[in-house]
């Protein structure tokens, strides 16, 4: 994903992180330190050394940091300290009887809030990442080793190996590699349901498209597509008003000129997505999709069913994730293509064209 998009979508998450850090600092400073300005900790053991700094344990079993001159730069108030990249440490501390993890720099400043049950340092193709599991929800946040958040959202699950990072939500699986010390979006696999519990599963691997989109935008596209198709195939009857996206009402139902027919989605296929940045703050994405459809009607009182794949075109636009959503939707055909029917009242309309 490009730098402009990464900057925009990370702003909200960074604000949340800053607030969490501030709250953590408040509680941390509110706890009375075991040492005052005139006392020095008793150093029992030096645990690890990096960049001239030394993690040590005091006689109370707590951890702090010494500089290269053996001066205490981080007092021993932490239950655990481990180096994280070259910019600080993963630390743990007890807050309100709960042991939580965060990160500090070499001056003891909190750089990642203490809201996590664990933080793991991992490496993907040479790029070090911090994978943090939230204590209250079990969701995951990902940071670079300089403590910058990688994404504006959290994830349901996370796995990493030497070549890729895989993140999951309820809707999708997203794969990232690394390039120039940054994460590179390489694949999205989206699953879901539309209509009468009709499943779909699509993969997006186009490099240019994944550079433009984020996982959140992809999920908005598929959520809005599913919602519109539900509306179009039911003409709004099965979608409660309080759950109906008002944008859908601007678009017509499938085969709006046909009377006395029933339509049902059977499958989705041949997904095509194209996208481009219209400017630094907005994006437009076009989607073409074929909807497998059963059309039920009657001839002389006899029920008939035909099946067809009908092309629908959708457009999405907005200022990234703030107001991004569906802006246009239309089916290519206004009538089904009926089979030739001999000796009945519909013969003159035996093969309706578009």
């Amino acid at each position: 994903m490009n730098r402009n998009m990464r900057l925009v979508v990370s702003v909200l998450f960074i604000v949340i992180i800053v607030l969490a850090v501030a709250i953590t600092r408040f509680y941390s400073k509110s706890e009375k330190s075991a040492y005052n300005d005139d006392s020095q900790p008793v150093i029992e053991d030096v645990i690890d050394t990096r960049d001239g700094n030394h993690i040590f344990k005091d006689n109370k079993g707590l951890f702090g940091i010494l500089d290269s001159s053996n001066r205490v730069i981080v007092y021993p108030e932490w239950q655990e300290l481990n180096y994280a990249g070259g910019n600080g440490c993963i630390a743990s501390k007890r807050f309100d009887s709960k042991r939580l993890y965060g990160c500090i720099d070499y001056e003891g400043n909190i750089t990642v809030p203490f809201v996590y049950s664990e933080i793991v340092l991992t490496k993907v193709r040479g790029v070090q990442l911090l994978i943090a599991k939230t204590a209250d929800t079990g969701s995951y946040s990902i940071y670079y080793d300089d403590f910058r958040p990688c994404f504006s959202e959290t994830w349901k699950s996370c796995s990493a190996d030497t070549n890729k990072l895989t993140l999951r939500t309820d809707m999708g699986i997203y794969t990232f590699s690394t390039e120039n010390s940054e994460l590179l979006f390489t694949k999205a696999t989206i699953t879901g349901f539309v209509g009468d519990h009709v499943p779909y599963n699509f993969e997006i691997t186009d490099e240019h498209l994944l550079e433009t989109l984020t996982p959140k935008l992809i999920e908005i596209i598929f959520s809005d597509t599913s919602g519109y198709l539900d509306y179009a195939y039911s003409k709004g009857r099965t979608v409660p008003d309080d759950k109906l996206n008002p944008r859908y009402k601007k678009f017509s139902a499938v085969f709006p000129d046909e009377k006395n027919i029933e339509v049902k989605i059977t499958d989705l296929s041949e997904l095509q997505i194209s996208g481009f940045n219209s400017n630094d703050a907005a994006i437009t994405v076009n989607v073409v999709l074929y909807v497998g459809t059963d059309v039920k009607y009657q001839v002389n009182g006899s029920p008939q069913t035909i099946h067809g794949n009908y092309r629908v075109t959708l457009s999405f636009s907005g200022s990234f994730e703030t107001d991004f959503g569906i802006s246009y939707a239309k089916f290519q055909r206004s009538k089904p293509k009926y089979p030739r029917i001999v000796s009945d009242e519909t013969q003159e309309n035996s093969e309706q064209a578009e």
Side-chain angles (χ1 to χ4, degrees):
M1 96 186 52
N2 60 44
R3 290 184 179 276
N4 288 333
M5 175 170 288
R6 187 181 302 111
L7 177 62
V8 172
V9 301
S10 296
V11 167
L12 180 60
F13 189 70
I14 291 173
V15 169
I16 294 171
I17 291 298
V18 169
L19 289 174
V21 167
I23 293 170
T24 306
R25 283 176 178 164
F26 171 78
Y27 283 108
S28 180
K29 296 300 182 183
S30 297
E31 296 181 2
K32 187 173 292 185
S33 173
Y35 302 96
N36 57 41
D37 293 337
D38 298 324
S39 63
Q40 289 294 319
V42 176
I43 300 171
E44 284 204 343
D45 193 13
V46 173
I47 305 301
D48 198 0
T49 298
R50 187 174 300 178
D51 301 325
N53 296 316
H54 316 285
I55 295 176
F56 71 90
K57 182 170 71 172
D58 73 355
N59 61 339
K60 297 180 178 63
L62 299 175
F63 295 88
I65 302 177
L66 304 168
D67 66 10
S68 57
S69 300
N70 289 325
R71 180 175 61 92
V72 176
I73 55 175
V74 174
Y75 273 84
E77 57 180 305
W78 310 101
Q79 292 183 307
E80 186 177 344
L81 278 181
N82 292 289
Y83 286 111
N87 300 282
C89 293
I90 300 169
S92 72
K93 191 174 183 179
R94 192 165 295 280
F95 294 89
D96 293 331
S97 75
K98 182 184 294 186
R99 184 170 180 173
L100 298 175
Y101 287 78
C103 293
I104 61 172
D105 64 17
Y106 291 140
E107 295 180 351
N109 298 312
I110 296 170
T111 53
V112 171
F114 282 73
V115 296
Y116 300 106
S117 60
E118 64 177 8
I119 299 177
V120 177
L121 179 65
T122 189
K123 186 177 290 187
V124 178
R125 296 184 65 184
V127 175
Q128 293 193 118
L129 302 171
L130 298 170
I131 299 175
K133 184 177 182 179
T134 308
D136 56 351
T137 65
S139 61
Y140 289 82
S141 298
I142 315 300
Y143 296 85
Y144 293 107
D145 66 353
D146 59 3
F147 310 125
R148 288 178 296 131
C150 300
F151 305 99
S152 62
E153 57 264 66
T154 59
W155 308 92
K156 185 175 181 179
S157 67
C158 170
S159 61
D161 59 33
T162 56
N163 293 313
K164 66 180 182 297
L165 174 71
T166 303
L167 305 171
R168 292 172 173 82
T169 67
D170 288 332
M171 285 187 66
I173 302 173
Y174 306 98
T175 304
F176 294 81
S177 182
T178 57
E179 183 177 278
N180 298 325
S181 299
E182 300 284 336
L183 288 174
L184 178 68
F185 196 6
T186 57
K187 186 170 74 171
T189 302
I190 295 290
T191 59
F193 294 88
V194 67
D196 295 330
H197 305 292
V198 176
Y200 61 81
N201 185 308
F202 292 108
E203 280 193 358
I204 303 171
T205 57
D206 180 82
E207 180 178 338
H208 173 71
L209 189 62
L210 293 177
E211 183 179 308
T212 302
L213 297 177
T214 66
K216 184 64 174 179
L217 292 181
I218 292 173
E219 293 190 355
I220 291 173
I221 288 171
F222 279 88
S223 178
D224 268 7
T225 297
S226 298
Y228 166 67
L229 292 178
D230 285 342
Y231 170 76
Y233 274 71
S234 67
K235 300 185 180 179
R237 289 190 297 271
T238 64
V239 183
D241 287 340
D242 61 340
K243 295 183 179 180
L244 178 63
N245 187 327
R247 296 192 189 195
Y248 302 157
K249 293 183 177 181
K250 300 187 299 182
F251 316 126
S252 62
V254 62
F255 311 139
D257 301 325
E258 289 292 271
K259 308 299 180 183
N260 302 316
I261 67 170
E262 294 182 12
V263 290
K264 179 180 178 181
I265 299 173
T266 61
D267 62 273
L268 305 181
S269 62
E270 299 184 52
L271 173 72
Q272 304 168 31
I273 302 180
S274 58
F276 61 92
N277 285 325
S278 55
N279 55 54
D280 285 345
I283 186 173
T284 298
V285 177
N286 300 313
V287 175
V288 174
L289 191 66
Y290 284 82
V291 186
T293 305
D294 280 345
V295 180
K296 295 183 179 181
Y297 60 103
Q298 289 192 353
V299 177
N300 293 334
S302 175
Q304 307 288 326
T305 300
I306 57 174
H307 180 81
N309 288 315
Y310 298 102
R311 186 177 189 265
V312 60
T313 301
L314 309 99
S315 290
F316 300 82
S317 60
S319 300
F320 294 100
E321 297 170 16
T322 56
D323 63 351
F324 183 80
I326 190 169
S327 56
Y328 172 86
K330 184 178 181 180
F331 278 85
Q332 183 182 36
R333 290 181 179 272
S334 60
K335 297 178 182 292
K337 188 174 183 180
Y338 294 109
R340 184 174 298 278
I341 301 170
V342 180
S343 301
D344 64 43
E345 60 186 0
T346 65
Q347 182 175 7
E348 60 181 352
N349 298 319
S350 60
E351 288 194 39
Q352 298 276 11
E354 296 178 20

